[in-house]
Amino acid sequence: MTLALLRSKAFTTLLSLVLLVDLGQAIQETTTTASTSKDWWETAQFYQIYPRSFKDSDGDGIGDLNGITSKLEYLKDLGVTAAWLSPIFTSPMVDFGYDISDFFDIQPEYGTLDDFRNLIKKANELGLKIILDFVPNHSSDENDWFKKSVKREKGYADYYIWHDGKVNATTGKREPPSNWLQYFRGSAWQWNEERQQYYLHQFAVQQPDLNYRSPDVVAQMKRVLRYWLNEGVAGFRCDTVPTLFEVQPDADGQYPDEAISGITQDPDDRNFLTAKYVEDQPETIDMVYQWRTVLDDYQRIYGGNSSVLLIETYSPAWYTMQFYGNRSVNGAHLPFNFNFISVIEKNGLSAKTVQYSIDLWLQNMPAGRTPNWVLGNHDRRRAASRYGLKHIDAMNMLVMILPGASVTYQGEELGMTDGEISWEDTVDPWACNSNPNIFEQYTRDPERTPFQWTSGTNAGFTQGPTTWLPLAADYKTINVETESAADHSHLTIYKSLTALRRSSKTLQNGNTRYKVLSEDVFVVKRSLSGAASIIYVSNFGSSTVTVNLTEFDKTLPASLGLLIRSLDSKKTDGVKYAIGQLELESGEALVFSTE
Ligand code: NOJ
Ligand code: MG
């Protein structure tokens, strides 16, 4: 399933139908059993930094590496395990760093290699891990590899996917090799005058797709992995993995056309066509297994901690789960689980859609692998805007109470909401390739506005006069300074959660049961013999309800001690509450302990 497909209205209807059927069967109590002795990443809280928007150190209004380094103590204090950084490499910034012109160096406006080394050093001192974004699918058209490929230089001629195109029998004119569409609207093929051929680009025109059928490309990209492992990184978030391979041309050298999907009438929208030939190919899975070998070999040779692969994929479960590996081979440590984004974005937040999202992962995940839970990223509207601000604590609690790893996008810990960006201020290529009437369907700028550090000028993001994107309107109240000073805030709740996750053997190693209780209420129990059980309960409905938690679990004591409560909850931490008749206001979420 493609990123773009998940945005479409027609698909919403489609998924709703599937959900209705599945949900009917899914409102069952579900139990999973976990094991002990875990590696660091198996219970980690990952934190995504979008470097351009995190912290500016030099006043140009653009975030940078020294800015991140100056805020590592914030991450330490937040209690996260590892930060993954969106791309920091040399780039013309057509797609804000996802178009890399030099995979081995740092973008000058972000800093230098020495700045990066300093960042790693400081992170090591604080016991934080740093993960980089690996962008294997494409490079920038300004990368030397592409320039050499255009010239058919020895060793580079087949680095990208080149094709003569087809001659139209009626008009006699040359046309692209197939009808394939790029993500950012329009044809996925671009004519190159100099080489007199088309090249494939599944994203922007300036992001030519690398050719993974060339052994030189495969070797080069493994070099990229080893290079940054040498610089001390703890792993990679791997960008747009499902588009790595396309189908091979047929015996006549032609590529097949994709069918019309029927999802949208807009012929420039990627969803206009299916993505049968351009995504989810079997060869891609094997390439991820090869990268895992690179990482494992590195550790075997040089020792140290495991480094990890996090895979970006919005593909269906049958494909996504293969990334984990199988009985005979290890694959990615964590293919991202975007169910809390995709399923809920299209079907609304409810106890049922939460249950369905969890089932969809746990019931499809191969045995012995580690689940993970993601609430947002730089491509999706901010979690607090999608779920509603009153549910942000409930969702932050959920991902940290569930077993396995969790992933926070910068600002989710504060309840940051989307910025409002006019067409004039829009910079995202996806939106810029559309028009003023429809750009809001495509733009990713609202979730990329500067991080909110203070209630002061430019939210403390920069000392300079401007910011590369306007600030979100809520920065005066939603920011680190204000929320740290408060007794109870989204931020203090988040910190209590990471602390609990670090200290609780039950959360790290315990069994998991979860269930929809009385329509709107979702409950999770984590338990481990010899330790206190942790109970999560949340009211996702719009009115106050009273539940009986013993209906969920008869073995629970008559009252439970309250550990953590959502921002507006009127209950008191540390007090024991009778669970036979527990009243929950709309949006109220609680974490209890049996002790
Ligand atoms: C997925 C990234 O998250 C997105 O921001 C980017 O535009 C595309 N991949 C292309 O690299
Ligand atoms: Mg700067």
Side-chain angles (χ1 to χ4, degrees), residues 21 43 76 114-116 118 171 173 186 191 199 210 251 258 296 369 392 415 425 453 506 511 531 538 547:
V21 177
T43 56
K76 182 67 190 173
D114 278 341
D115 293 334
F116 181 70
N118 187 36
T171 64
K173 282 197 178 145
W191 178 252
Y199 66 85
L210 287 156
E258 290 282 359
D296 286 353
R369 302 291 172 178
I392 191 65
D425 284 336
W453 293 100
T506 304
N511 293 342
S538 171
V547 289

Side-chain angles (χ1 to χ4, degrees), residues 55-64 109-110:
K55 175 68 185 168
D56 177 25
S57 72
D58 61 2
D60 65 356
I62 295 170
D64 45 49
E109 67 192 338
Y110 291 168

Side-chain angles (χ1 to χ4, degrees), residues 315-364:
S315 299
W318 69 266
Y319 189 73
T320 296
M321 294 300 167
Q322 295 180 59
F323 285 121
Y324 272 120
N326 52 48
R327 281 202 199 133
S328 49
V329 57
N330 278 326
H333 302 73
L334 304 168
F336 279 141
N337 171 4
F338 291 141
N339 293 342
F340 283 146
I341 301 179
S342 308
V343 172
I344 293 175
E345 192 174 65
K346 298 301 172 189
N347 298 277
L349 177 63
S350 69
K352 287 178 191 176
T353 53
V354 164
Q355 159 116 13
Y356 178 73
S357 302
I358 300 173
D359 280 344
L360 194 57
W361 197 265
L362 293 183
Q363 292 177 6
N364 287 296

